[in-house]
Amino acid sequence: MNDLFKAFNISASGMYAQRVRMNVVASNLANYESYRANGEPYRKLEVVFEAVEDPQSLAKGEIPVNVAQIRFSDEPFRLIYDPNDPRANAEGYVQKPNVDLVKEMADMITAVRSYEANLNAFITTKEMAQRTLELWR
Amino acid sequence: MDIFKGIDKVLPHLNYTWKRHKVILSNIANADTPRYKAKDLIMEKEGGGKLKTTREKHLFTKGEEIYKVIELQRRLIGNDLNNVSLEEEMAKLSQNRIAYETYMRMVRGSIDKLNNIIKEGR
């Protein structure tokens, strides 16, 4: 029985990881123009995935995915010329968050597709398990 | 027992398809993990019969089954050193599922047959 739930856990870990990524994309898009409390522009968040590859799971090939960390990106900030902005520097440039709209949208589409793939795999597992349970009848 | 011979023959294959299903699930879950390498499961018979194996997919008729996880050698897809191809994994998933259901139906068949005998065909 544990063996059966293991299969569900693998797909569930994949769906969870993709959902975390969706949340991070949403935060990045929402904070496209934000500044932090210390006056610095908002830094883009990045999700780091990691395969749970301990020897036991590796031998069986059952490898769930894990969200290792969510970290601040150190990409350079966007520079926009706007001398009227109170945050503008001596040359009239304003630093804006390092969020790239195009990258975020692409990331979002990938996350949705991966989520769907995991969901379909989950449904397949469920139907196979039901087929097994039909042996009782 | 002898009357369960039909089921016993199918059981290793049923086991194998279920284990392989989980390996495919792992590949799909790790489709976006950097440095992850796609894996697959192969079944081998220990000791083997009289035939020599020259390919990893050759089958035997005797001995215990052993399952081996292998890493797939595929061209790199993307620049994160991950070589999972989602389409290929989904194709393998449905293929594997059909195999599983076929074996399940065979088990079902032998159970129905026994049931019929127990009920004296009534």
Side-chain angles (χ1 to χ4, degrees), chain B:
Chain B
M1 242 206 284
D2 208 39
I3 56 168
F4 294 127
K5 219 173 175 179
I7 299 175
D8 285 345
K9 277 223 171 73
V10 185
L11 222 51
H13 298 278
L14 204 57
N15 238 330
Y16 166 68
T17 33
W18 182 251
K19 281 178 198 292
R20 185 162 184 245
H21 178 73
K22 286 190 286 189
V23 176
I24 299 168
L25 286 186
S26 309
N27 287 343
I28 294 171
N30 285 294
D32 291 316
T33 310
R35 287 185 294 281
Y36 180 83
K37 295 282 175 288
K39 291 170 181 60
D40 204 349
L41 195 71
I42 52 169
M43 183 169 69
E44 284 177 352
K45 291 255 172 129
E46 218 167 31
K50 288 185 179 84
L51 293 172
K52 213 168 88 180
T53 45
T54 49
R55 299 275 158 80
E56 57 185 27
K57 280 181 181 164
H58 279 176
L59 294 175
F60 287 117
T61 48
K62 270 185 188 170
E64 274 295 291
E65 298 80 23
I66 43 171
Y67 305 103
K68 244 195 219 164
V69 180
I70 54 166
E71 275 191 1
L72 291 180
Q73 300 297 319
R74 249 185 224 147
R75 70 200 175 282
L76 290 184
I77 295 170
N79 56 1
D80 55 355
L81 300 177
N82 181 320
N83 67 351
V84 176
S85 145
L86 211 48
E87 298 82 8
E88 216 167 303
E89 298 302 331
M90 292 310 276
K92 255 161 57 181
L93 190 76
S94 43
Q95 187 189 344
N96 200 54
R97 178 200 167 158
I98 291 169
Y100 184 85
E101 283 178 7
T102 310
Y103 294 138
M104 230 16 165
R105 197 156 293 182
M106 287 161 82
V107 172
R108 178 88 237 180
S110 18
I111 289 176
D112 282 351
K113 196 169 65 190
L114 284 174
N115 243 335
N116 195 28
I117 296 164
I118 291 165
K119 289 183 189 155
E120 300 174 327
R122 265 180 282 161

Side-chain angles (χ1 to χ4, degrees), chain A residues 35-46:
Chain A
Y35 287 86
R36 291 164 72 186
N38 59 5
E40 201 188 29
Y42 171 83
R43 277 186 189 276
K44 186 173 86 172
L45 290 175
E46 289 176 334

Side-chain angles (χ1 to χ4, degrees), chain A residues 46-58:
Chain A
E46 289 176 334
V47 189
V48 182
F49 287 168
E50 174 194 66
V52 186
E53 286 184 319
D54 50 86
Q56 200 194 344
S57 65
L58 208 57

Side-chain angles (χ1 to χ4, degrees), chain A residues 8 11 15 112-128, chain B residues 21 25 28 86 90 93-94 97:
Chain A
F8 287 121
S11 287
M15 285 196 279
V112 171
R113 290 286 169 259
S114 295
Y115 189 93
E116 280 173 359
N118 275 299
L119 190 63
N120 279 327
F122 189 93
I123 292 169
T124 305
T125 315
K126 195 188 76 183
E127 283 171 0
M128 278 167 71
Chain B
H21 178 73
L25 286 186
I28 294 171
L86 211 48
M90 292 310 276
L93 190 76
S94 43
R97 178 200 167 158

